[in-house]
Amino acid sequence: MGETRRGGKSDQSFAFLNPHVNRTRTAALALVELPFEYNAPMAQVIVYGHRSSIEQRREALSSAIHGAIVTTLDYPPEKKFQRFISLSDVDFIHPDDRGGDYTIIEISMFEGRTEQAKRNLIADLFERIESEAGIKPHSVEITITETPRVNWGIRGVNAADLSLNYQVNV
């Protein structure tokens, strides 16, 4: 079987140290078989804003952002990964014309979405955030960062080794 990967040692095979995975994987095996169905589309959202604006609009922003992701990227509604970072005025520096509602949204997700899917997501986010949270598009900035699945660790396993039951290429 070869050595087990631990503390920097590695060879062609290693045992996952994960309570959900009790099997040895060789370098030739492409996917890890999990004893549960993995269906969490990975989109991590971080929202930055002035403390007063975030406190006043957190629920509306959360709903607008999640609704856009669910609709445009075909995500399951029960999967929501969001963090809100409320900043004091002295810690959130930006041009004056963005105003007190200035909001930055960063979305990290697996690579593979089409350019059109990302354009649709951004357009839907601007529309929903204005209609649901009352923040004008001029005061919102959105960044989508796509990374290879190999750059994600999920539930003790490298995401490149997961068998996904959802489409990334939308």
Side-chain angles (χ1 to χ4, degrees):
M1 175 170 94
E3 276 185 11
T4 299
R5 181 182 292 204
R6 286 188 148 173
K9 295 180 183 177
S10 67
D11 72 355
Q12 294 298 320
S13 65
F14 60 96
F16 279 115
L17 303 176
N18 180 322
H20 300 292
V21 180
N22 188 15
R23 42 182 46 221
T24 299
R25 176 185 168 275
T26 65
L29 184 61
L31 300 175
V32 172
E33 294 179 38
L34 298 174
F36 54 87
E37 191 170 333
Y38 188 81
N39 62 0
M42 292 314 299
Q44 295 284 335
V45 179
I46 303 175
V47 180
Y48 299 91
H50 288 277
R51 184 167 288 119
S52 59
S53 182
I54 293 290
E55 288 173 2
Q56 183 180 22
R57 296 176 173 86
R58 183 185 324 270
E59 292 301 317
L61 276 168
S62 177
S63 176
I65 293 165
H66 191 62
I69 290 172
V70 167
T71 300
T72 61
L73 299 181
D74 196 26
Y75 274 18
E78 69 276 5
K79 302 298 181 185
K80 186 190 267 190
F81 301 95
Q82 299 177 343
R83 290 167 297 224
F84 286 82
I85 311 296
S86 302
L87 299 165
S88 67
D89 292 345
V90 298
D91 291 326
F92 197 33
I93 301 166
H94 54 78
D96 289 338
D97 70 332
R98 299 303 194 274
D101 291 335
Y102 180 55
T103 304
I104 298 172
I105 300 166
E106 296 177 349
I107 303 170
S108 298
M109 59 188 183
F110 291 161
E111 68 182 349
R113 274 66 178 203
T114 64
E115 180 179 315
Q116 191 59 53
K118 291 179 274 188
R119 287 177 175 275
N120 292 344
L121 175 58
I122 289 170
D124 199 21
L125 283 165
F126 281 131
E127 182 180 315
R128 286 174 186 259
I129 289 169
E130 183 173 23
S131 67
E132 295 178 35
I135 302 173
K136 300 280 184 205
H138 181 75
S139 295
V140 177
E141 290 187 16
I142 301 162
T143 304
I144 297 172
T145 304
E146 290 185 296
T147 56
R149 285 176 41 188
V150 72
N151 291 359
W152 292 69
I154 303 164
R155 294 186 181 178
V157 179
N158 187 287
D161 299 327
L162 294 174
S163 176
L164 304 175
N165 68 349
Y166 63 91
Q167 289 290 334
V168 173
N169 299 325
V170 295

mmCIF file of all heavy atoms in Angstrom, residues 44-79:
data_model
loop_
_atom_site.group_PDB
_atom_site.id
_atom_site.type_symbol
_atom_site.label_atom_id
_atom_site.label_comp_id
_atom_site.label_asym_id
_atom_site.label_seq_id
_atom_site.Cartn_x
_atom_site.Cartn_y
_atom_site.Cartn_z
ATOM 1 N N GLN A 44 -19.274 30.994 -1.489
ATOM 2 C CA GLN A 44 -19.093 31.681 -0.216
ATOM 3 C C GLN A 44 -19.242 33.172 -0.481
ATOM 4 O O GLN A 44 -18.584 33.707 -1.362
ATOM 5 C CB GLN A 44 -17.708 31.390 0.353
ATOM 6 C CG GLN A 44 -17.496 29.936 0.713
ATOM 7 C CD GLN A 44 -18.203 29.551 1.997
ATOM 8 O OE1 GLN A 44 -18.471 30.374 2.857
ATOM 9 N NE2 GLN A 44 -18.507 28.279 2.118
ATOM 10 N N VAL A 45 -20.094 33.838 0.278
ATOM 11 C CA VAL A 45 -20.375 35.257 0.072
ATOM 12 C C VAL A 45 -19.930 36.052 1.293
ATOM 13 O O VAL A 45 -20.263 35.695 2.425
ATOM 14 C CB VAL A 45 -21.882 35.496 -0.170
ATOM 15 C CG1 VAL A 45 -22.179 36.978 -0.367
ATOM 16 C CG2 VAL A 45 -22.370 34.684 -1.363
ATOM 17 N N ILE A 46 -19.182 37.123 1.043
ATOM 18 C CA ILE A 46 -18.815 38.066 2.098
ATOM 19 C C ILE A 46 -19.367 39.426 1.690
ATOM 20 O O ILE A 46 -19.176 39.870 0.559
ATOM 21 C CB ILE A 46 -17.296 38.153 2.301
ATOM 22 C CG1 ILE A 46 -16.716 36.781 2.625
ATOM 23 C CG2 ILE A 46 -16.965 39.157 3.403
ATOM 24 C CD1 ILE A 46 -15.206 36.763 2.723
ATOM 25 N N VAL A 47 -20.067 40.068 2.625
ATOM 26 C CA VAL A 47 -20.664 41.377 2.385
ATOM 27 C C VAL A 47 -20.030 42.368 3.351
ATOM 28 O O VAL A 47 -20.060 42.160 4.563
ATOM 29 C CB VAL A 47 -22.196 41.345 2.605
ATOM 30 C CG1 VAL A 47 -22.807 42.709 2.344
ATOM 31 C CG2 VAL A 47 -22.845 40.274 1.727
ATOM 32 N N TYR A 48 -19.446 43.422 2.790
ATOM 33 C CA TYR A 48 -18.839 44.497 3.589
ATOM 34 C C TYR A 48 -19.697 45.742 3.457
ATOM 35 O O TYR A 48 -20.163 46.065 2.369
ATOM 36 C CB TYR A 48 -17.444 44.851 3.067
ATOM 37 C CG TYR A 48 -16.449 43.727 3.099
ATOM 38 C CD1 TYR A 48 -16.292 42.884 2.004
ATOM 39 C CD2 TYR A 48 -15.644 43.517 4.213
ATOM 40 C CE1 TYR A 48 -15.358 41.860 2.008
ATOM 41 C CE2 TYR A 48 -14.709 42.493 4.234
ATOM 42 C CZ TYR A 48 -14.572 41.669 3.123
ATOM 43 O OH TYR A 48 -13.651 40.654 3.141
ATOM 44 N N GLY A 49 -19.862 46.449 4.562
ATOM 45 C CA GLY A 49 -20.602 47.699 4.513
ATOM 46 C C GLY A 49 -20.450 48.483 5.796
ATOM 47 O O GLY A 49 -19.883 47.994 6.782
ATOM 48 N N HIS A 50 -20.956 49.710 5.768
ATOM 49 C CA HIS A 50 -20.981 50.525 6.982
ATOM 50 C C HIS A 50 -21.880 49.838 8.000
ATOM 51 O O HIS A 50 -22.936 49.299 7.651
ATOM 52 C CB HIS A 50 -21.529 51.925 6.679
ATOM 53 C CG HIS A 50 -20.579 52.771 5.912
ATOM 54 N ND1 HIS A 50 -19.565 53.481 6.503
ATOM 55 C CD2 HIS A 50 -20.490 53.015 4.580
ATOM 56 C CE1 HIS A 50 -18.889 54.129 5.579
ATOM 57 N NE2 HIS A 50 -19.427 53.863 4.398
ATOM 58 N N ARG A 51 -21.460 49.862 9.234
ATOM 59 C CA ARG A 51 -22.193 49.179 10.314
ATOM 60 C C ARG A 51 -23.678 49.550 10.303
ATOM 61 O O ARG A 51 -24.543 48.678 10.360
ATOM 62 C CB ARG A 51 -21.555 49.511 11.665
ATOM 63 C CG ARG A 51 -22.204 48.776 12.825
ATOM 64 C CD ARG A 51 -21.378 48.867 14.094
ATOM 65 N NE ARG A 51 -20.188 48.025 13.923
ATOM 66 C CZ ARG A 51 -18.941 48.479 13.969
ATOM 67 N NH1 ARG A 51 -18.694 49.741 14.181
ATOM 68 N NH2 ARG A 51 -17.923 47.661 13.809
ATOM 69 N N SER A 52 -23.988 50.836 10.208
ATOM 70 C CA SER A 52 -25.387 51.268 10.258
ATOM 71 C C SER A 52 -26.193 50.715 9.082
ATOM 72 O O SER A 52 -27.337 50.303 9.247
ATOM 73 C CB SER A 52 -25.481 52.794 10.298
ATOM 74 O OG SER A 52 -24.867 53.355 9.154
ATOM 75 N N SER A 53 -25.591 50.673 7.907
ATOM 76 C CA SER A 53 -26.290 50.163 6.726
ATOM 77 C C SER A 53 -26.514 48.654 6.814
ATOM 78 O O SER A 53 -27.601 48.155 6.525
ATOM 79 C CB SER A 53 -25.503 50.509 5.460
ATOM 80 O OG SER A 53 -26.187 50.067 4.315
ATOM 81 N N ILE A 54 -25.469 47.934 7.232
ATOM 82 C CA ILE A 54 -25.588 46.471 7.367
ATOM 83 C C ILE A 54 -26.641 46.112 8.412
ATOM 84 O O ILE A 54 -27.493 45.239 8.187
ATOM 85 C CB ILE A 54 -24.227 45.830 7.722
ATOM 86 C CG1 ILE A 54 -23.237 45.962 6.571
ATOM 87 C CG2 ILE A 54 -24.389 44.373 8.147
ATOM 88 C CD1 ILE A 54 -23.541 45.118 5.357
ATOM 89 N N GLU A 55 -26.597 46.773 9.560
ATOM 90 C CA GLU A 55 -27.563 46.469 10.617
ATOM 91 C C GLU A 55 -28.992 46.724 10.157
ATOM 92 O O GLU A 55 -29.901 45.975 10.485
ATOM 93 C CB GLU A 55 -27.235 47.276 11.876
ATOM 94 C CG GLU A 55 -25.999 46.768 12.583
ATOM 95 C CD GLU A 55 -25.544 47.637 13.739
ATOM 96 O OE1 GLU A 55 -26.210 48.648 14.053
ATOM 97 O OE2 GLU A 55 -24.505 47.303 14.339
ATOM 98 N N GLN A 56 -29.182 47.767 9.377
ATOM 99 C CA GLN A 56 -30.518 48.126 8.899
ATOM 100 C C GLN A 56 -30.999 47.208 7.780
ATOM 101 O O GLN A 56 -32.200 46.973 7.647
ATOM 102 C CB GLN A 56 -30.486 49.572 8.409
ATOM 103 C CG GLN A 56 -31.810 50.113 7.950
ATOM 104 C CD GLN A 56 -31.673 51.564 7.483
ATOM 105 O OE1 GLN A 56 -30.590 52.029 7.118
ATOM 106 N NE2 GLN A 56 -32.774 52.278 7.496
ATOM 107 N N ARG A 57 -30.083 46.664 6.973
ATOM 108 C CA ARG A 57 -30.474 45.943 5.754
ATOM 109 C C ARG A 57 -30.003 44.492 5.675
ATOM 110 O O ARG A 57 -30.132 43.866 4.624
ATOM 111 C CB ARG A 57 -29.925 46.702 4.542
ATOM 112 C CG ARG A 57 -30.509 48.068 4.362
ATOM 113 C CD ARG A 57 -29.837 48.788 3.201
ATOM 114 N NE ARG A 57 -30.512 50.034 2.927
ATOM 115 C CZ ARG A 57 -30.255 51.170 3.548
ATOM 116 N NH1 ARG A 57 -29.321 51.218 4.484
ATOM 117 N NH2 ARG A 57 -30.921 52.264 3.236
ATOM 118 N N ARG A 58 -29.474 43.955 6.741
ATOM 119 C CA ARG A 58 -28.883 42.606 6.691
ATOM 120 C C ARG A 58 -29.836 41.560 6.116
ATOM 121 O O ARG A 58 -29.487 40.808 5.215
ATOM 122 C CB ARG A 58 -28.410 42.169 8.081
ATOM 123 C CG ARG A 58 -27.717 40.813 8.084
ATOM 124 C CD ARG A 58 -27.357 40.318 9.479
ATOM 125 N NE ARG A 58 -26.950 41.340 10.391
ATOM 126 C CZ ARG A 58 -25.686 41.758 10.575
ATOM 127 N NH1 ARG A 58 -24.725 41.212 9.883
ATOM 128 N NH2 ARG A 58 -25.414 42.710 11.450
ATOM 129 N N GLU A 59 -31.047 41.489 6.629
ATOM 130 C CA GLU A 59 -31.997 40.472 6.158
ATOM 131 C C GLU A 59 -32.356 40.671 4.684
ATOM 132 O O GLU A 59 -32.413 39.714 3.919
ATOM 133 C CB GLU A 59 -33.252 40.462 7.020
ATOM 134 C CG GLU A 59 -33.023 39.961 8.438
ATOM 135 C CD GLU A 59 -32.462 38.550 8.492
ATOM 136 O OE1 GLU A 59 -32.936 37.674 7.733
ATOM 137 O OE2 GLU A 59 -31.524 38.322 9.279
ATOM 138 N N ALA A 60 -32.599 41.912 4.293
ATOM 139 C CA ALA A 60 -32.948 42.197 2.897
ATOM 140 C C ALA A 60 -31.770 41.893 1.970
ATOM 141 O O ALA A 60 -31.958 41.315 0.891
ATOM 142 C CB ALA A 60 -33.390 43.653 2.734
ATOM 143 N N LEU A 61 -30.559 42.266 2.372
ATOM 144 C CA LEU A 61 -29.373 41.957 1.567
ATOM 145 C C LEU A 61 -29.179 40.444 1.453
ATOM 146 O O LEU A 61 -28.927 39.921 0.362
ATOM 147 C CB LEU A 61 -28.127 42.583 2.178
ATOM 148 C CG LEU A 61 -27.845 44.024 1.847
ATOM 149 C CD1 LEU A 61 -26.754 44.587 2.757
ATOM 150 C CD2 LEU A 61 -27.460 44.183 0.388
ATOM 151 N N SER A 62 -29.304 39.750 2.571
ATOM 152 C CA SER A 62 -29.138 38.299 2.569
ATOM 153 C C SER A 62 -30.124 37.640 1.611
ATOM 154 O O SER A 62 -29.751 36.786 0.806
ATOM 155 C CB SER A 62 -29.323 37.758 3.988
ATOM 156 O OG SER A 62 -29.227 36.357 3.999
ATOM 157 N N SER A 63 -31.370 38.048 1.687
ATOM 158 C CA SER A 63 -32.407 37.486 0.821
ATOM 159 C C SER A 63 -32.147 37.810 -0.652
ATOM 160 O O SER A 63 -32.271 36.938 -1.519
ATOM 161 C CB SER A 63 -33.769 38.028 1.247
ATOM 162 O OG SER A 63 -34.775 37.573 0.381
ATOM 163 N N ALA A 64 -31.783 39.052 -0.930
ATOM 164 C CA ALA A 64 -31.527 39.466 -2.314
ATOM 165 C C ALA A 64 -30.344 38.707 -2.914
ATOM 166 O O ALA A 64 -30.420 38.200 -4.040
ATOM 167 C CB ALA A 64 -31.273 40.970 -2.371
ATOM 168 N N ILE A 65 -29.268 38.607 -2.153
ATOM 169 C CA ILE A 65 -28.067 37.922 -2.641
ATOM 170 C C ILE A 65 -28.347 36.439 -2.850
ATOM 171 O O ILE A 65 -28.034 35.868 -3.896
ATOM 172 C CB ILE A 65 -26.892 38.131 -1.665
ATOM 173 C CG1 ILE A 65 -26.471 39.607 -1.673
ATOM 174 C CG2 ILE A 65 -25.724 37.224 -2.018
ATOM 175 C CD1 ILE A 65 -25.577 40.000 -0.509
ATOM 176 N N HIS A 66 -28.957 35.814 -1.864
ATOM 177 C CA HIS A 66 -29.237 34.379 -1.980
ATOM 178 C C HIS A 66 -30.226 34.100 -3.117
ATOM 179 O O HIS A 66 -30.053 33.145 -3.870
ATOM 180 C CB HIS A 66 -29.744 33.833 -0.651
ATOM 181 C CG HIS A 66 -29.795 32.342 -0.619
ATOM 182 N ND1 HIS A 66 -28.678 31.553 -0.759
ATOM 183 C CD2 HIS A 66 -30.835 31.485 -0.460
ATOM 184 C CE1 HIS A 66 -29.020 30.284 -0.694
ATOM 185 N NE2 HIS A 66 -30.328 30.216 -0.514
ATOM 186 N N GLY A 67 -31.235 34.946 -3.244
ATOM 187 C CA GLY A 67 -32.198 34.766 -4.330
ATOM 188 C C GLY A 67 -31.542 34.831 -5.697
ATOM 189 O O GLY A 67 -31.855 34.044 -6.597
ATOM 190 N N ALA A 68 -30.614 35.761 -5.874
ATOM 191 C CA ALA A 68 -29.912 35.877 -7.151
ATOM 192 C C ALA A 68 -29.053 34.650 -7.427
ATOM 193 O O ALA A 68 -29.025 34.136 -8.550
ATOM 194 C CB ALA A 68 -29.065 37.147 -7.168
ATOM 195 N N ILE A 69 -28.360 34.162 -6.404
ATOM 196 C CA ILE A 69 -27.507 32.976 -6.582
ATOM 197 C C ILE A 69 -28.352 31.746 -6.902
ATOM 198 O O ILE A 69 -28.039 30.977 -7.807
ATOM 199 C CB ILE A 69 -26.621 32.755 -5.336
ATOM 200 C CG1 ILE A 69 -25.560 33.860 -5.272
ATOM 201 C CG2 ILE A 69 -25.982 31.378 -5.343
ATOM 202 C CD1 ILE A 69 -24.753 33.873 -3.986
ATOM 203 N N VAL A 70 -29.432 31.568 -6.171
ATOM 204 C CA VAL A 70 -30.317 30.416 -6.404
ATOM 205 C C VAL A 70 -30.892 30.456 -7.819
ATOM 206 O O VAL A 70 -30.891 29.458 -8.534
ATOM 207 C CB VAL A 70 -31.445 30.376 -5.348
ATOM 208 C CG1 VAL A 70 -32.542 29.407 -5.742
ATOM 209 C CG2 VAL A 70 -30.877 30.010 -3.976
ATOM 210 N N THR A 71 -31.362 31.628 -8.226
ATOM 211 C CA THR A 71 -32.018 31.761 -9.531
ATOM 212 C C THR A 71 -31.046 31.651 -10.694
ATOM 213 O O THR A 71 -31.276 30.893 -11.636
ATOM 214 C CB THR A 71 -32.757 33.114 -9.609
ATOM 215 O OG1 THR A 71 -33.724 33.161 -8.566
ATOM 216 C CG2 THR A 71 -33.447 33.296 -10.950
ATOM 217 N N THR A 72 -29.958 32.409 -10.643
ATOM 218 C CA THR A 72 -29.088 32.473 -11.821
ATOM 219 C C THR A 72 -28.107 31.322 -11.925
ATOM 220 O O THR A 72 -27.684 30.972 -13.024
ATOM 221 C CB THR A 72 -28.309 33.799 -11.875
ATOM 222 O OG1 THR A 72 -27.488 33.909 -10.714
ATOM 223 C CG2 THR A 72 -29.242 34.981 -11.982
ATOM 224 N N LEU A 73 -27.726 30.728 -10.790
ATOM 225 C CA LEU A 73 -26.752 29.636 -10.828
ATOM 226 C C LEU A 73 -27.382 28.282 -10.521
ATOM 227 O O LEU A 73 -26.678 27.286 -10.385
ATOM 228 C CB LEU A 73 -25.603 29.915 -9.844
ATOM 229 C CG LEU A 73 -24.793 31.181 -10.116
ATOM 230 C CD1 LEU A 73 -23.674 31.315 -9.085
ATOM 231 C CD2 LEU A 73 -24.248 31.215 -11.528
ATOM 232 N N ASP A 74 -28.704 28.243 -10.387
ATOM 233 C CA ASP A 74 -29.430 26.997 -10.156
ATOM 234 C C ASP A 74 -28.962 26.296 -8.875
ATOM 235 O O ASP A 74 -28.725 25.101 -8.863
ATOM 236 C CB ASP A 74 -29.293 26.074 -11.369
ATOM 237 C CG ASP A 74 -30.323 24.968 -11.363
ATOM 238 O OD1 ASP A 74 -31.403 25.161 -10.769
ATOM 239 O OD2 ASP A 74 -30.053 23.893 -11.947
ATOM 240 N N TYR A 75 -28.833 27.070 -7.794
ATOM 241 C CA TYR A 75 -28.415 26.538 -6.503
ATOM 242 C C TYR A 75 -29.623 26.080 -5.711
ATOM 243 O O TYR A 75 -30.692 26.668 -5.802
ATOM 244 C CB TYR A 75 -27.721 27.628 -5.685
ATOM 245 C CG TYR A 75 -26.249 27.774 -5.953
ATOM 246 C CD1 TYR A 75 -25.641 27.263 -7.085
ATOM 247 C CD2 TYR A 75 -25.456 28.442 -5.049
ATOM 248 C CE1 TYR A 75 -24.299 27.425 -7.316
ATOM 249 C CE2 TYR A 75 -24.101 28.612 -5.275
ATOM 250 C CZ TYR A 75 -23.529 28.096 -6.405
ATOM 251 O OH TYR A 75 -22.195 28.255 -6.617
ATOM 252 N N PRO A 76 -29.440 25.064 -4.861
ATOM 253 C CA PRO A 76 -30.527 24.661 -3.966
ATOM 254 C C PRO A 76 -30.794 25.765 -2.942
ATOM 255 O O PRO A 76 -29.846 26.312 -2.360
ATOM 256 C CB PRO A 76 -29.992 23.414 -3.272
ATOM 257 C CG PRO A 76 -28.755 23.018 -3.991
ATOM 258 C CD PRO A 76 -28.262 24.204 -4.733
ATOM 259 N N PRO A 77 -32.034 26.122 -2.714
ATOM 260 C CA PRO A 77 -32.358 27.212 -1.786
ATOM 261 C C PRO A 77 -31.880 26.986 -0.355
ATOM 262 O O PRO A 77 -31.610 27.941 0.358
ATOM 263 C CB PRO A 77 -33.888 27.289 -1.827
ATOM 264 C CG PRO A 77 -34.327 26.459 -2.964
ATOM 265 C CD PRO A 77 -33.205 25.548 -3.340
ATOM 266 N N GLU A 78 -31.747 25.748 0.069
ATOM 267 C CA GLU A 78 -31.373 25.483 1.465
ATOM 268 C C GLU A 78 -29.874 25.675 1.719
ATOM 269 O O GLU A 78 -29.439 25.638 2.864
ATOM 270 C CB GLU A 78 -31.794 24.069 1.876
ATOM 271 C CG GLU A 78 -31.022 22.949 1.219
ATOM 272 C CD GLU A 78 -31.526 22.539 -0.161
ATOM 273 O OE1 GLU A 78 -32.452 23.188 -0.701
ATOM 274 O OE2 GLU A 78 -31.000 21.552 -0.710
ATOM 275 N N LYS A 79 -29.086 25.900 0.696
ATOM 276 C CA LYS A 79 -27.638 26.082 0.855
ATOM 277 C C LYS A 79 -27.310 27.572 0.841
ATOM 278 O O LYS A 79 -27.386 28.230 -0.184
ATOM 279 C CB LYS A 79 -26.872 25.369 -0.264
ATOM 280 C CG LYS A 79 -27.148 23.886 -0.348
ATOM 281 C CD LYS A 79 -26.717 23.178 0.913
ATOM 282 C CE LYS A 79 -26.976 21.689 0.802
ATOM 283 N NZ LYS A 79 -26.682 20.991 2.031
#
